[in-house]
Amino acid sequence: MSYEQNLIEDEAGIRAVVQASKRVAVLGIKTEQQDGQPAFYVPQYLANAGVDVVPVPVYYPDVTHILGKPVFRRLVDIPGDIDLVDVFRRPQDIDQHVDDILAKKPKAVWFQSGIRNDTAAQKLAQAGIKVVQDRCLMVDHRRYGR
């Protein structure tokens, strides 16, 4: 099985990832103080839509809860399975998270709009993880999540 089929770019594949994602870890989530930024309002939308959002902020070391949920500093520290890791990191900052993502083994990883890292995507896809790049999860969830 070739890893390329885990690099999801077709609408049917996007729909399948969205509909299978009931528990989503948000890597790089912002806090309520940054509520005008996509890295806060996208996960807030998902939580309001009934998705189990697990906050994984990169900054804000003093914050213990976001959206009323306890934060985790690494994906591997999250108990239980994760369907999707929604990534709000600059493309050049994703590489430092690849090992953590691989260790957690989510079913899929989603790089938000404007975020593309083909090297990281290839590594994740080769490990059997589906990867969506440069799409807004909120937009696609509104389209396919119902």
Side-chain angles (χ1 to χ4, degrees):
M1 178 166 109
S2 136
Y3 76 88
E4 277 97 358
Q5 72 187 48
N6 285 323
L7 298 170
I8 309 297
E9 296 183 345
D10 63 297
E11 292 305 310
I14 300 283
R15 180 185 307 115
V17 169
V18 168
Q19 291 177 345
S21 299
K22 308 295 181 226
R23 189 163 190 240
V24 177
V26 181
L27 179 62
I29 191 171
K30 303 271 197 216
T31 71
E32 281 80 357
Q33 280 68 51
Q34 290 82 34
D35 64 2
Q37 295 189 28
F40 179 78
Y41 67 69
V42 170
Q44 181 181 44
Y45 159 83
L46 294 170
N48 291 339
V51 174
D52 181 10
V53 172
V54 182
V56 186
V58 176
Y59 305 109
Y60 320 109
D62 299 333
V63 171
T64 58
H65 288 75
I66 297 175
L67 295 170
K69 306 236 178 185
V71 304
F72 293 89
R73 295 297 162 183
R74 297 179 319 160
L75 296 165
V76 290
D77 296 335
I78 300 170
D81 292 335
I82 292 292
D83 297 319
L84 179 68
V85 176
D86 188 16
V87 179
F88 285 94
R89 301 288 292 148
R90 293 180 309 197
Q92 64 269 30
D93 293 336
I94 291 174
D95 296 331
Q96 68 195 30
H97 298 288
V98 168
D99 290 342
D100 187 30
I101 295 170
L102 290 171
K104 187 60 191 169
K105 295 184 175 59
K107 295 184 187 88
V109 174
W110 192 290
F111 297 164
Q112 279 290 144
S113 299
I115 303 171
R116 195 166 193 95
N117 181 324
D118 291 327
T119 306
Q122 184 175 336
K123 280 184 194 156
L124 297 168
Q126 285 170 329
I129 298 169
K130 294 185 185 323
V131 181
V132 175
Q133 298 197 82
D134 192 15
R135 304 245 337 193
C136 179
L137 183 55
M138 183 170 74
V139 170
D140 284 318
H141 191 277
R142 282 186 176 140
R143 185 178 296 148
Y144 299 127
R146 304 270 175 275

